[in-house]
Amino acid sequence: MDLGIEGRIALVMGASRGIGRGVSAALAREGARVAIASRSRDRIESAAAEIDGDVTPFVADTEDLDRLAALPGEVAEALGPVEILITNTGGPPLGGTLDHPMEEWDAAYRALVLAPRTLVEAALPEMRRRRWG
């Protein structure tokens, strides 16, 4: 099935393993140029080496919102403007609401809400300008 993404620039967060890595591999198989990002340099470079296709690793942590705001621009400089954005991040802590300290909930909120919002804010203006994304 032709998804119409051949040659498109995709940015996938949380791409060193799990769902993010699987999405990255699928996009690369479809011919997208894929920027993969994760907080671990070793894991993201290993994932990039193991995924067949045009894959470039970037280090970025969802806890560093300034870094995330800059990431789409860095990808654009290296590959071209981001046209597909996957804001895959980790989930909340397992267990009941009161089983975890507020610091863990704060980190989960940053990863699940603020990090994707920051990435969208950074990538969306160029997508709108290009009328694709």
Side-chain angles (χ1 to χ4, degrees), residues 19-44:
I19 292 170
R21 186 173 176 159
V23 168
S24 300
L27 288 166
R29 274 193 309 274
E30 292 295 325
R33 299 180 66 204
V34 186
I36 60 174
S38 180
R39 68 178 163 237
S40 168
R41 179 174 303 282
D42 290 340
R43 279 196 210 156
I44 203 64

Side-chain angles (χ1 to χ4, degrees), residues 6-22:
E6 187 171 347
R8 299 286 185 178
I9 309 302
L11 170 55
V12 182
M13 276 304 299
S16 65
R17 59 188 175 149
I19 292 170
R21 186 173 176 159

Side-chain angles (χ1 to χ4, degrees), residues 88-106:
N88 177 59
T89 62
L94 297 176
T97 302
L98 299 178
D99 293 342
H100 302 279
M102 192 57 75
E103 294 79 24
E104 285 185 41
W105 283 103
D106 183 59

